[in-house]
Amino acid sequence: RKPSTTCSAFCPVWTKSEESPIPTMSGQKKRVAIIGSGNWGCAIAKIVGANCKRHPEFEDTVKMWVFEEMINGRKLTEIINTEHENVKYMKGIKLPDNIVAEPDLVKAATGAHVLIFVLPHQFLGNICKKIAGTHAPDCIAISLIKAVHFDDKGMVLISDM
């Protein structure tokens, strides 16, 4: 099935009349989590948040894992959750109100049917170890990681990490 319109190769926008390409085992609403919250993560969060609100097969709330930092004496997650803006990485750009910043990686990933990875590639291995088994059994992962990894044998695809 082709998307109605596309924001990029990774972000199809589905119309209400089209069936989502992401199945679940029980027909329950699908939970989406974004792992990463930098510039690219927040740009994707705008699209994902809007799509989850628009499509009834998805839960409205999208958890976004945020590495907790203090910004002018406030937690970054608090700022994102109250002002709907990542003032460190996307100042001036509002996030949808259904994007919920979560500093606990395991809580962000728990029960997710869709995990969207948008973080530096060097963190992927440890992140995956920490969240293994916390997601839904029929979970799919989408990698929006913009890099390649090298080990002592040469280049390693992100999908093989």
Side-chain angles (χ1 to χ4, degrees), residues 24 28-33 48-63 98-99 108 110-114 136:
T24 61
Q28 68 193 23
K29 285 191 172 218
K30 300 162 191 153
R31 180 173 298 162
V32 178
V48 170
N51 279 338
C52 285
K53 276 179 121 174
R54 187 171 38 249
H55 296 283
E57 65 269 26
F58 293 99
E59 290 183 4
D60 284 348
T61 299
V62 176
K63 290 191 180 175
N98 63 322
I99 299 294
T110 296
H113 296 95
V114 180

Side-chain angles (χ1 to χ4, degrees), residues 88-144:
K88 180 168 184 183
Y89 294 104
M90 280 193 76
K91 191 172 183 81
I93 305 297
K94 292 295 183 187
L95 296 171
D97 60 3
N98 63 322
I99 299 294
V100 176
E102 174 56 63
D104 183 309
L105 174 62
V106 171
K107 284 183 183 176
T110 296
H113 296 95
V114 180
L115 287 169
I116 302 172
F117 290 93
V118 193
L119 68 160
H121 75 281
Q122 62 266 32
F123 301 121
L124 186 62
N126 285 334
I127 296 282
C128 288
K129 287 176 190 171
K130 289 178 183 175
I131 64 173
T134 64
H135 49 73
D138 56 343
C139 181
I140 65 166
I142 299 170
S143 173
L144 301 181

Side-chain angles (χ1 to χ4, degrees), residues 58-76:
F58 293 99
E59 290 183 4
D60 284 348
T61 299
V62 176
K63 290 191 180 175
M64 178 173 69
W65 176 63
V66 176
F67 182 79
E68 192 70 273
E69 301 178 62
M70 297 300 287
I71 307 291
N72 297 323
R74 293 177 66 198
K75 292 179 179 180
L76 183 55

Side-chain angles (χ1 to χ4, degrees), residues 121 146-161:
H121 75 281
K146 315 175 293 184
V148 292
H149 180 73
F150 291 90
D151 65 13
D152 56 343
K153 296 177 186 162
M155 189 171 78
V156 178
L157 296 175
I158 299 300
S159 59
D160 292 334
M161 289 181 66

